[in-house]
Amino acid sequence: MHLAYPAVLSALLFCTGLYGVLARRNAILVLMSVELMLNAVNLNLVAFDVWLSRTAEETLHSGQALTLFTIAIAAAEIGIGLAIVLAVHRNRGTADIDRLRDTAEGHDSDDPDPETSATGTAAEKAEAPA
């Protein structure tokens, strides 16, 4: 098998994961997209390890060893990430990344008019002397 086939498949998987990270609003889907990107890296590591082991007389299989470490790190990452997402969902009631970011920055998501604040409405501010 040529090296181009797994490399192209890996590039497609990585681009799909990158799109998922950049375009999705749900934290679970972002975590799944990160996992897809890590799997693309794993595919590249194994493909290049096999390709290089054909040319070298000594086979160390370092690409496969790195893949095992990447899988272990990905498993820990997804476990911690899901625990954080579940804790945030229990406290805030949503896993929407945009709403969580607005809440963390101090914006009130229930207020439809961004011109108003806790001190008064926009009309009251306009009538106040400068």
Side-chain angles (χ1 to χ4, degrees):
M1 184 166 66
H2 295 285
L3 182 62
Y5 296 136
V8 168
L9 179 62
S10 176
L12 290 174
L13 283 174
F14 192 84
C15 288
T16 304
L18 185 64
Y19 172 75
V21 167
L22 295 176
R24 298 294 176 192
R25 297 177 188 266
N26 191 347
I28 301 291
L29 293 177
V30 170
L31 287 173
M32 289 174 58
S33 298
V34 169
E35 289 294 320
L36 195 61
M37 291 168 59
L38 287 173
N39 285 331
V41 170
N42 288 339
L43 180 61
N44 254 342
L45 284 171
V46 171
F48 277 98
D49 180 55
V50 169
W51 181 67
L52 290 174
S53 68
R54 289 181 186 168
T55 59
E57 293 179 11
E58 296 179 10
T59 56
L60 295 176
H61 299 294
S62 58
Q64 294 178 12
L66 284 173
T67 299
L68 288 176
F69 284 119
T70 307
I71 290 171
I73 290 170
E77 175 258 333
I78 199 68
I80 292 171
L82 283 176
I84 290 170
V85 168
L86 286 175
V88 167
H89 188 278
R90 285 183 187 158
N91 289 337
R92 307 273 172 112
T94 183
D96 188 10
I97 294 174
D98 290 335
R99 293 187 68 198
L100 293 176
R101 185 187 63 221
D102 290 342
T103 306
E105 292 174 353
H107 298 284
D108 190 12
S109 61
D110 296 334
D111 192 10
D113 188 14
E115 296 291 323
T116 62
S117 66
T119 59
T121 63
E124 292 173 354
K125 287 184 180 179
E127 293 175 4

